[in-house]
C-alpha cells in the first residue's frame, strides 16, 4: 500500500527536472500522475510506466487560461477526482534591474505567478466540491531572501508565497491544504549554468555544503501531499540546506 494509492496528481512542468522527480515520487507512492508541460512528456511517462507506475502526459502552457481550465476539467472528467496539484512550472530570465527588458519581467511573472492562478482556479473548484485536496506550490528561497539579478523571479516567487497563504485560508474549511516548498540551489538544468567560482561561493553560504537534489524537493512535496500533513496549511517548507533560515 502506498500513501497515494488511488489518487490523481497533476504536476505542471512535469516533463523534466524537479517536476519529473515529483512525478516519479508520487507515482512510486501509488498515485496516477499527470505530467502537464509545454515540453513533450513521452519520456517521463514511459519511464514511470516501465517502473510499474501509472502516468499520462498532457500538453499545457500554464499561461493559457482556457487550455488550463479545459485540461483540469478533462482530467477530472476522465478520472472522477483530483487529489493533488503541484504548481511546479517556472522559468528564470535573470538580469540586473537597470538592464532588465520589460518582456523578461512580464514573461517571468506571467508563467511563475499568473500561470499558477490559471491552473489552480479550476482545480480548487473541483477540490472544494470534493471536500479534499492538496495543493503544493514550488516557490524558491529567493522569494524569501531576495537575490541580485532576479527581481522578476524573486517577485514572482514572493507573490506565490502570498498566494499560498491567502488560498490556504480560503480552502481550509473545505479540507483542502495549500503549502509551498522553497528550494535553494538544486542540481538541475537551471543550476548547471553556474561557474566554478559561483559554485564555490555558494558552498560557503549553505550549512550543508552540497547542491540540493530534485529528490530532496520531491520528498518535501510528498510529505505535504501525504497523510502526515493533514493539519499543515499555509506553510513554506524551505529545502535549501540552510541557505536561508
Ligand atoms: P526546469 O526548467 O528543468 O523545468 C521546468 C519545466 O517547466 C520545464 O519542462 C519547462 O518547459 C516547463 N515550463 C516552462 N514554462 C511553462 C509553461 N508556460 N507551461 C507549462 N510548463 C512550462 O526547471 P526546474 O526543474 O529547475 O524548476 C522547477 C521549479 O522549481 C520552478 O518553479 C523553479 O522556479 C523552481 N526552483 C528551482 C530551483 C533550482 O535550483 N533548479 C531552485 C528554486 C526553485 P520548457 O523547458 O519548455 O520551458
Amino acid at each position: 500500500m502506498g500513501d497515494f494509492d488511488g489518487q490523481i496528481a497533476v504536476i505542471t512542468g512535469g516533463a523534466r527536472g524537479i517536476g519529473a522527480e515529483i512525478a516519479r515520487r508520487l507515482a512510486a507512492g501509488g498515485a496516477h500522475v499527470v505530467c502537464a508541460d509545454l515540453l513533450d512528456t513521452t519520456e517521463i511517462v514511459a519511464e514511470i510506466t516501465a517502473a510499474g507506475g501509472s502516468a499520462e502526459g498532457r500538453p499545457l502552457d500554464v499561461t493559457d487560461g482556457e487550455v488550463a481550465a479545459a485540461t483540469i476539467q478533462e482530467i477530472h472528467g476522465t478520472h472522477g477526482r483530483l487529489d493533488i496539484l503541484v504548481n511546479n512550472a517556472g522559468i528564470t530570465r535573470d538580469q540586473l534591474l537597470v538592464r532588465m527588458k520589460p518582456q523578461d519581467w512580464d514573461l517571468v511573472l506571467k508563467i511563475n505567478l499568473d500561470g499558477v492562478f490559471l491552473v489552480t482556479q479550476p482545480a480548487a473548484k473541483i477540490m472544494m466540491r470534493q471536500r479534499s485536496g492538496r495543493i503544493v506550490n514550488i516557490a524558491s528561497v529567493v522569494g524569501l531572501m531576495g537575490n541580485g539579478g532576479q527581481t522578476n523571479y524573486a517577485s514572482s516567487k514572493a507573490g506565490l508565497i502570498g498566494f499560498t497563504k491567502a488560498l490556504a485560508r480560503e480552502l481550509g474549511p473545505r479540507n483542502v491544504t495549500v503549502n509551498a516548498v522553497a528550494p535553494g540551489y538544486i542540481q538541475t538544468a537551471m543550476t548547471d549554468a553556474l561557474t566554478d567560482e559561483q559554485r564555490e561561493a555558494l558552498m560557503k553560504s549553505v550549512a550543508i555544503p552540497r547542491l540540493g537534489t530534485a529528490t530532496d524537493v520531491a520528498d518535501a512535496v510528498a510529505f505535504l501531499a501525504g497523510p502526515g500533513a493533514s493539519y499543515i496549511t499555509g506553510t513554506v517548507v524551505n529545502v535549501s540546506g540552510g541557505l536561508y533560515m
Side-chain angles (χ1 to χ4, degrees):
M1 280 278 288
D3 279 351
F4 306 111
D5 280 348
Q7 296 195 14
I8 307 300
V10 175
I11 300 116
T12 69
R16 68 168 192 195
I18 292 171
E21 189 61 16
I22 294 168
R24 287 184 196 100
R25 178 72 179 75
L26 296 181
H32 172 76
V33 296
V34 183
C35 298
D37 204 305
L38 272 180
L39 283 180
D40 182 20
T41 52
T42 313
E43 219 174 290
I44 182 67
V45 169
E47 185 198 317
I48 290 172
T49 311
S54 177
E56 69 182 272
R58 298 261 175 170
L60 175 69
D61 178 350
V62 294
T63 66
D64 187 333
E66 268 178 42
V67 172
T71 302
I72 294 292
Q73 278 148 18
E74 268 174 45
I75 293 166
H76 181 242
T78 306
H79 300 284
R81 48 186 311 108
L82 174 59
D83 301 286
I84 300 166
L85 169 64
V86 184
N87 285 305
N88 162 81
I91 62 158
T92 52
R93 289 290 181 278
D94 298 351
Q95 187 52 272
L96 296 173
L97 178 76
V98 290
R99 293 194 200 132
M100 189 174 286
K101 295 191 180 86
Q103 51 270 39
D104 283 340
W105 171 271
D106 287 343
L107 187 64
V108 169
L109 270 290
K110 207 171 165 203
I111 293 176
N112 296 8
L113 193 53
D114 296 8
V116 172
F117 164 72
L118 294 171
V119 176
T120 306
Q121 192 178 52
K125 286 180 186 166
I126 293 166
M127 289 176 176
M128 284 171 82
R129 282 199 299 273
Q130 196 176 262
R131 294 284 194 279
S132 71
R134 300 291 173 89
I135 298 171
V136 184
N137 298 319
I138 308 301
S140 166
V141 285
V142 165
L144 296 165
M145 61 188 274
N147 193 23
Q150 292 197 307
T151 50
N152 50 359
Y153 185 72
S155 301
S156 72
K157 296 301 189 179
L160 182 53
I161 289 169
F163 175 91
T164 300
K165 293 180 181 183
L167 189 61
R169 291 189 188 277
E170 289 185 19
L171 300 188
R174 303 295 181 98
N175 191 33
V176 177
T177 68
V178 190
N179 291 288
V181 171
Y185 287 97
I186 306 299
Q187 183 91 56
T188 62
M190 227 182 226
T191 47
D192 283 349
L194 291 175
T195 63
D196 286 348
E197 286 98 70
Q198 285 171 323
R199 220 168 266 265
E200 213 169 290
L202 178 64
M203 288 311 122
K204 289 188 184 135
S205 57
V206 288
I208 300 169
R210 64 168 175 86
L211 285 177
T213 64
T215 308
D216 293 324
V217 180
D219 283 342
V221 172
F223 169 69
L224 291 169
S230 62
Y231 197 56
I232 298 177
T233 198
T235 61
V236 182
V237 175
N238 171 1
V239 183
S240 70
L243 175 65
Y244 177 77
M245 300 185 187

